[in-house]
Each structure stands twice: as C-alpha cells, then as structure tokens.
Amino acid sequence: MPLDPSRVVTRLEELRSVTGDENGAQRVAWTETWARGRAWLADSLADLPLEVERDPAGNDWYTLPGDSDRAVLMGGHMDSVPNGGWLDGCLNVLAGAEVLRRLAEDGTPPVTVRLVDWADEEGARFGRSLFGSSAAAGSMGDQGELRRLVDAEGVSLADAIGAFEVDLDRAPEARSQLDSAAAYLELHIEQGPVLESLDLPLGAVLGTFGVERWRIVWRGQAAHAGSTPMSERRDALAGAAKLALALREIAESTGDGAVCTSGGVTCKPGIVTSVVETAEQLLDQRHLDAAKLASMLARAQELARGFAVEERLDVAWEPIWSIEPILFDETLLGFADEAISEVSGPTHRLPSGPLHDAAEVSRAGVPTVMLFVQSLRGLSHTKLEDTKPEHLELSVEALDRLATKTIAWVAHSL
Ligand SMILES: [Zn+2]
C-alpha cells in the first residue's frame, strides 16, 4: 500500500480524542493517560512484522528488520505537557509509523528501520527534559540529582518511573539501543513563527541552539525611599535594568538568530519604601554558533561590570545551566533539502531554539537531521497549537522521502 499522509491526520485527531480533554493534550509522561496513548500506538502497529521492545529507560522501539542490522531511526515522543497541543511530539511518532507501514508493505528493506517513542521528552512533571533520549545517548550522568527530584504532589521520580518498571540505576543501559544506529531522523512542528512568516510549509533544521543560563546577583544598599537623595543611592535594580535593555543590542549586533532574554528579576527587600538592595536577575542566551554564543556571554559580563561601576554596585555571576550548540549532519541536511523541494518547492534552513531528542542522539555521534513543519502563529505547549492539515500531510511525505534517501545512503555505505 502506498503512503497515506491523510491517515496520519486522522490518527492524530483520534489520539486527541483518546488522550485529550477540553484543555488540550494530557499525556504527561509517567501517567495513566500517557500509557494509554502508548498502548494505542502499539495497537495500531500490531499488524506489522515489527519487533517491539521497551528499553531500560522506558523508550518504546518498533523495529522493522532489514537485510542489514545497521539501522535508520525515526523518533518522536508521545508525552505532552499538561494542557498541551495535539501535534508536539506525537506528529513525529505517527508520521514515522506511517512511513514504517509503507516500508513494511514494500518488503524487507536493505537496512533495519526503527521507530522510537522516547520516554519523557518534556520533563513536564519533574523538570528533567529528554529523559529517555539522554539515557540512550549516554549523557544521563546525574543519577544522584535525578533521585532527588519530586513532582508537585511529592512523588519521587524514581517511584513514578518505577511504576512503569523503569529503574533509575539501570536506565543508562538504554545506551546499547544506539549501537547499530546509522542515522536519526525527526520531524517536528516548528513551535515558532519563522516558516509561517516566510509562507513555507517545511524547513530543514540546522541544529539546536547552544544555551547559556546564568543568575546575576547585583548588590547595592537598602535605603529609605523618602530620605535618600537620588545621588546617594546604590540601587541594585538599576544595574539589572541597564543590563536587561543592553541585551537587545547584544543580540542584534551578534545576529544570525541570536536571542537573549532576562526572564526575571527578584528584588529585595522588594517593598515600595526602599531602594533595592539585591536584584537577582535571570539570563538566557542562545546561538547556533559556539564562538558567537561565547562572545555574547563575554559582552554581557563586560557591560555588567561597567554598569556596576556606574551604579556603585557589586555584581556576581552564578551559572545555572549550559549546553553547547549541536549541529546536524551535512549529508542528511542535503537529503532534507531535497525531500522538501520534492514535496513542496522552496526549502529553508533554520536553527531550532527549543531542544529536542534529536540533539541528544546527535551528541551521541549518530548522524542526525530534523524537519520542521510550520506552526500556526508560532504557538505550542498550548491547546491553541495548530498546523494546517495540508501542511501536516506534506510533512509526512517529506519524512517518507527523507527516510528513503537515508536508507539508500546507509545501504550504499555498507
Ligand atoms: Zn516535542
């Protein structure tokens, strides 16, 4: 049977009715609704000649054995945020399932093809994103920290995953799943406004942004709001405010998609009658180029030192989290461009601001690429998340073409 992209749209609607409510998708990882969505997926693939396996990190693998064990992987995640959209993560899985069905019906492929439904991409319940893919990629090195995580109800991560027969200490054994991987493909909604603004249905993803996250602590002197002359103040908020505005200039002068965000400032004492003594400012900077990311951070630190002098403040930087930019595979990017031009004409390459499971797989050394399909109004992680059905169908076709090219490439390299 040929590929049927419209079936993917129908299946997505069905999944929405099975695991969503009036507020959106409710497939939060390690919950009964998530398990129901996964069982529904497994049911829909039961008629195909697949090997089905749940690995030690809770990832579900659907394997179509080929003439060679070398494997082309397609991935996505059935889990959602609470009140999530109907496409984030599950479009990837259901499109991959359709491609797998088409391949299975064409006979034994020259290389093995595997669909993976990663466990807990969103990290919505415990604040730890990319759980399953980081385990498989060998970058889950924080068992001690993970053991301390609890959800809003006080349930520990270890207990929550234990209910799904996943043992935190054994999760890294999922690493062996990537041993045979020759390539990894992931289709995802863009979750941003770029493709819509260009009036393009599809784009090839260059990689995922590197991220620098810091807490900047400005220290001045609390003083009475009535009795302290303006010239005598050491106002910690003034330093944070100057830096927040300077970030615009840093991002603009860096260019190439640079983004800088001051996501919050907490002031103490934080009362209307006092000058601010300490201001804790949150900073997030992202870029696809490691050198440019480093220079954005250096520029912010240099400006902060100057503002501290001007305002007679102390300033200290505390790291929160960082990750290097991850660039996808050039050959696969070429195939992605070709697949897009074949199904919808002009192609466009763009970076991904959000992280994805693909970033973990790429970090593990597996050649990786992603396709983005346009998101209406750039909205995601809300029930308002949407993509035109005709664009969804094009995205399934593009994934199918990309998979076909990748399979031929891997088969040729054997
Ligand atoms: Zn996602």
Side-chain angles (χ1 to χ4, degrees), residues 77 79 88-89 92 121-122 186 188-189 191 355-357 381:
H77 58 94
D79 74 301
D88 182 359
N92 340 3
E121 189 271 350
E122 299 285 3
E186 185 171 327
H188 207 285
I189 51 167
Q191 303 177 288
L355 283 168
H356 292 286
D357 294 307
H381 285 192

Side-chain angles (χ1 to χ4, degrees), residues 270-283:
I271 55 172
V272 74
T273 51
S274 175
V275 172
V276 172
E277 179 156 289
T278 62
E280 283 194 9
Q281 180 169 31
L282 299 173
L283 173 67

Side-chain angles (χ1 to χ4, degrees), residues 250 254 285 289-302:
I250 293 174
T254 307
Q285 295 182 299
D289 180 294
K292 288 188 173 168
L293 179 61
S295 79
M296 290 207 299
L297 175 61
R299 179 75 182 135
Q301 290 177 327
E302 177 194 329

